[in-house]
Amino acid sequence: MKRSIVWLSCLFLWTSLLVARPLNTAAVPDNPPIPVQALVPSSTDLTVTTPTFMDAVNQWMKRISNEQGFETWKQASWTSYPLGPGTHGWIILLKAGGAEVGYMVIYAEDPKDPNKYRLAEYGRGSTPLFSLNTLYQSLVQLELIHTSYKAERWYSGPLYAVWKVTSGTELYFIDAKSGEVLPLSSAKQLDAALAEEPYSSSVLPKHSITASLQLGTFDPYDRLPWVKGTPVNVDTFDKLATVLKEQSKLTYVAELYDRSVTVPLAVTGYQQWSNEEAFLLLEQDGQRAIPYSVATKQGKLFP
């Protein structure tokens, strides 16, 4: 049962939590067909195949594949899709042995120089960000799979990644990682998130991972100190690294879209790159690595 996203039914002291509907996977075939509409980019910004772009992707894949849990990336192939007009970003979906094994989000370091790229986030597992299989399951649940619809990718940073699905006069917002339908009613809520939470990263293809910590996963719902408890006071990454070594279970909690969505995720470690930038490892239907600087702006850590 997917319980990665909780809808707040009351904004005072978090006294009442309503779990979003889980996807009904029983009606989904093992290898669902890819929704045709989802393959059509919403702009003329097509998949990039320039040597510099391909080299950047391959370099990051090679470096990340040396880390524990990412070994399947060594044999993986990849496909890129644009993340929408104006973003200068792409989602990279990785497959090995016919199955999805991970993803990366990269964007142009300088919009005026498309030959330089940065790594925004990455992750491993069979349900990567913007997986077309996950989208298919959501469309089945919404009974839209046999209707006329349009699915667009929307990304303004880690945790703000959405499929915007239009069917007739109806508009749906689907979390691009979990596939859960978000309680959003207007695209203006997405625009507000884009304005308030710009994503950033300084990891370039030349950088490598110099330090890492892998912890076991756990269910944040087994204990609920994050509902009314006090967050851990860690104002630097070094302090967080020390806390994680001493206390193996921390829950990262983000309140998104004007606190209409709460996301509790198990912290499963970190990875630090040679440029000193650290990525926090979070469990959300597979492991996600998001910049520590972004994570601390969007959420808090609880013991």
Side-chain angles (χ1 to χ4, degrees):
M1 176 178 181
K2 294 180 180 290
R3 297 188 294 177
S4 59
I5 292 183
V6 175
W7 297 4
L8 285 180
S9 60
C10 176
L11 294 180
F12 299 99
L13 297 179
W14 298 17
T15 57
S16 177
L17 296 177
L18 175 63
V19 179
R21 288 180 300 167
L23 297 177
N24 179 10
T25 58
V28 181
D30 292 336
N31 296 293
I34 295 174
V36 176
Q37 294 93 326
L39 293 177
V40 181
S42 58
S43 71
T44 56
D45 187 11
L46 300 177
T47 298
V48 178
T49 56
T50 61
T52 51
F53 181 88
M54 297 176 68
D55 186 56
V57 172
N58 290 331
Q59 284 191 57
W60 276 317
M61 284 180 60
K62 182 178 180 180
R63 300 184 192 284
I64 296 172
S65 68
N66 291 324
E67 297 301 308
Q68 179 183 344
F70 289 86
E71 294 86 355
T72 54
W73 285 32
K74 294 181 183 294
Q75 294 80 35
S77 58
W78 57 270
T79 305
S80 66
Y81 300 94
L83 288 175
T87 62
H88 305 286
W90 297 265
I91 177 72
I92 312 298
L93 296 178
L94 285 71
K95 279 190 173 184
E100 292 178 316
V101 295
Y103 75 93
M104 295 186 290
V105 173
I106 70 174
Y107 63 97
E109 177 187 4
D110 181 353
K112 297 180 181 180
D113 186 354
N115 295 320
K116 295 181 180 179
Y117 304 94
R118 293 192 184 189
L119 182 63
E121 67 166 293
Y122 54 97
R124 62 181 172 89
S126 59
T127 56
L129 194 71
F130 287 109
S131 168
L132 293 172
N133 289 334
T134 304
L135 173 63
Y136 180 91
Q137 294 176 11
S138 300
L139 295 174
V140 169
Q141 179 189 14
L142 292 169
E143 299 181 350
L144 296 176
I145 199 64
H146 297 301
T147 66
S148 176
Y149 64 87
K150 180 181 180 182
E152 301 173 90
R153 298 174 185 86
W154 185 94
Y155 183 90
S156 71
L159 305 181
Y160 284 99
V162 172
W163 284 105
K164 187 168 67 173
V165 178
T166 306
S167 178
T169 60
E170 298 295 324
L171 184 60
Y172 303 90
F173 300 97
I174 300 172
D175 184 83
K177 187 65 172 70
S178 68
E180 294 171 2
V181 180
L182 299 172
L184 307 180
S185 58
S186 170
K188 292 182 179 180
Q189 292 170 281
L190 299 183
D191 296 335
L194 179 62
E196 294 177 5
E197 301 290 350
Y199 63 91
S200 61
S201 169
S202 58
V203 174
L204 303 175
K206 66 180 181 180
H207 295 137
S208 59
I209 298 173
T210 57
S212 64
L213 175 68
Q214 286 280 354
L215 300 172
T217 187
F218 60 92
D219 190 341
Y221 292 89
D222 287 344
R223 295 173 59 251
L224 301 174
W226 51 270
V227 176
K228 295 182 180 180
T230 302
V232 177
N233 183 19
V234 286
D235 53 3
T236 67
F237 170 72
D238 288 339
K239 289 183 179 180
L240 173 61
T242 299
V243 171
L244 284 175
K245 292 175 182 177
E246 297 174 348
Q247 183 172 330
S248 60
K249 289 187 178 182
L250 287 181
T251 300
Y252 174 77
V253 180
E255 293 181 282
L256 311 174
Y257 306 107
D258 196 24
R259 297 188 176 185
S260 63
V261 174
T262 298
V263 185
L265 304 173
V267 178
T268 56
Y270 64 80
Q271 291 179 342
Q272 190 166 26
W273 291 72
S274 55
N275 66 332
E276 300 301 322
E277 177 148 16
F279 280 66
L280 195 62
L281 302 181
L282 304 172
E283 175 62 30
Q284 189 184 26
D285 301 314
Q287 194 173 69
R288 299 183 70 176
I290 69 175
Y292 168 76
S293 59
V294 175
T296 54
K297 291 179 182 179
Q298 295 183 350
K300 298 178 181 180
L301 294 161
F302 291 84

